[in-house]
Amino acid sequence: MKKKMMILLSFAMLGLLAGCGGASKTEKQAEKDTLVFSQISEGKTLDPQDTTEQYSQRVITVIYDRLVEIDEMTGKIVPGLAKSWEQLDDRTILFHLNEGVLFHNGEKFTAEDVKFTLERAKKLPKVAHLYTLIDNIEVVDENTIKIHTSEPFAPLLAHLSHKTASIISKKYYEEKGDDGFYNPVGTGPYKYKDWKVGDRITLEANNNYFGHKPSIKYIVIRAIPEENSSVIGLETGEIDMTADLSAESRRLVLNNSELLYKENSGISVNYVGLNTAKGILKDKDVRRAIAMGINRDAIIKSILLDSVEKANSFIAPGTFGYTPEAKTLEYNPEEAKKIIKEKGLVGSKLTIGVSNSPIRMQMSEIIQAQLKEIGLDVTVESLEWGAFLTATGRGDLDMFSLAWGPSTYDGDYGYYPNFHSSQLGSAGNRSQYVNPEMDKLLDAAKKEIDVEKRKELYKQVANIIYTDVPVIPMYYANNTVASTKYVEGMKPTSYILFNELKFKVSDK
């Protein structure tokens, strides 16, 4: 694996943002109170317990807080709403909460809100597996809470940093119910202002925030499906910051001295999912043939310009449980062709679904051509993001192109939702994969507190994925962000901490 890297480069001036009279750019920048951020897709909900997709969670990250947080630059757990905690025994953690924290509507945050939120999360199917071993939540006083688990629960702290553990107001929810998420109330650094569906979400600074207070008054998060449009927006100044750049966009940004670029090795894996419950893909040998029919090196070189690392596992380095010795099937078209021919499947039709990413569309088209060489007739189907999630959740597609990043930095959240039989469909297991041995290993790893024994369990999980091929790991994505040169404090993280950003007032 390449060393973790951060790049901050700017090259020769192209003059694309040259001013034309009036106040200077620096003077105009000093007057700016709004940062416009673009991403490929619009979020689907602001209910933190009802989504695991990144586009919604980027907004949720700054509207709400969690008991603990993950520092994405280090992968370490750091204080959040809890200023400290104590592991009393292998089934009990005591949390000491920050005092004087207010929700955006002025109501006081207390331990009752933590208890209410986590008990709600336990009941919701998309995320219940993250909290299932929480047995009892005991409010000691309004600033102290004790969490008891039914068994040792190794990834508990990591799970409490997950965006679905974002704390909501008990009182507000009891008054508004789910309708309250159309005007959400959290404790985070930014408050909800409005949502123009299909266009933008606007957030306003929370000046009463207990943590790092925002210096930029408004954040506008725009959905711009065409990545090239985001880069043009950066060049013209209509957009201040964007993320998830392709290799080509990266090149354009690096060659413009008015723009800044940062990159870091991420923990997301881009993969091809195979519906193990559908048609010819029920056959493990066919899935293995497909894996051997895909030339990942060619895809990485042609589309990604060798800017990413080929995956050897479904979870990336930096995630607990990653196994350097893990492997995936390498390109072997002759063996793949042989399997398809011997099974009488030459000419068999398959569909691969893709959404929201030009890169994944290009990758799917190359896969289509590569699998034709081994005798399979693959159709690429492009779907809107919401329709794509519904189709893969129901198991409608034969294959699909997607990414997964365990934001908890723990293997439990990398493997469990994607491969445990209790998580079939929209909960995460879109490959519709069922294997009792896999279930047993994942259940054991969730409860194993011995670090080395837990690593060994995940090594066995990686071996089963290699053998059964419910997914084909393609490559590990880098975290990439770009901005105008007037944005300071930008870090290459999956979830942008907008409250740590500010506008540069002067070039001097």
Side-chain angles (χ1 to χ4, degrees), residues 387-490:
F388 174 82
L389 293 177
T390 299
T392 53
R394 287 194 308 233
D396 295 345
L397 302 170
D398 300 305
M399 304 162 62
F400 56 92
S401 179
L402 196 55
W404 185 268
S407 57
T408 63
Y409 283 67
D410 190 278
D412 183 75
Y413 189 53
Y415 287 129
Y416 194 96
N418 289 285
F419 303 108
H420 197 283
S421 65
S422 67
Q423 305 301 300
L424 292 177
S426 296
N429 188 345
R430 299 175 188 274
S431 295
Q432 317 297 323
Y433 177 66
V434 177
N435 183 332
E437 184 183 358
M438 175 69 84
D439 288 353
K440 184 179 178 181
L441 287 169
L442 292 174
D443 288 336
K446 191 184 287 284
K447 303 168 188 176
E448 181 55 69
I449 58 176
D450 183 295
V451 171
E452 295 306 316
K453 289 181 180 178
R454 195 163 177 246
K455 287 180 179 177
E456 181 58 35
L457 290 169
Y458 286 135
K459 185 180 293 187
Q460 293 177 54
V461 166
N463 287 338
I464 291 177
I465 293 172
Y466 168 72
T467 301
D468 285 359
V469 199
V471 297
I472 304 167
M474 298 294 290
Y475 63 90
Y476 299 124
N478 296 327
N479 293 329
T480 59
V481 289
S483 73
T484 68
K485 68 178 182 180
Y486 297 106
V487 176
E488 292 186 331
M490 181 176 70

Side-chain angles (χ1 to χ4, degrees), residues 174-238:
E174 288 177 342
E175 290 174 353
K176 303 288 187 180
D178 289 344
D179 287 344
F181 296 115
Y182 292 109
N183 186 20
V185 166
T187 61
Y190 278 91
K191 303 182 288 185
Y192 172 85
K193 189 172 187 292
D194 61 50
W195 186 348
K196 295 179 180 178
V197 176
D199 183 22
R200 65 187 64 199
I201 293 176
T202 303
L203 308 177
E204 182 176 359
N206 172 17
N207 294 324
N208 294 318
Y209 188 53
F210 74 97
H212 193 295
K213 289 182 171 54
S215 65
I216 300 174
K217 187 173 183 180
Y218 298 109
I219 303 295
V220 174
I221 299 175
R222 294 191 58 194
I224 301 180
E226 294 297 327
E227 186 178 316
N228 188 53
S229 297
S230 285
V231 175
I232 293 172
L234 285 176
E235 292 173 340
T236 62
E238 295 175 39

Side-chain angles (χ1 to χ4, degrees), residues 37-48 50-61 63 126 181-182 192 194-202 220-225 244 356 384-387 389 495:
F37 173 83
S38 70
Q39 58 182 13
I40 291 172
S41 291
E42 182 176 45
K44 299 303 173 187
T45 179
L46 295 179
D47 178 350
D50 190 41
T51 183
T52 58
E53 52 92 9
Q54 186 180 47
Y55 305 113
S56 294
Q57 288 187 336
R58 276 190 171 138
V59 186
I60 285 166
T61 295
I63 291 179
K126 283 185 183 178
F181 296 115
Y182 292 109
Y192 172 85
D194 61 50
W195 186 348
K196 295 179 180 178
V197 176
D199 183 22
R200 65 187 64 199
I201 293 176
T202 303
V220 174
I221 299 175
R222 294 191 58 194
I224 301 180
D244 312 321
N356 87 334
E384 179 274 331
W385 181 234
L389 293 177
Y495 300 97

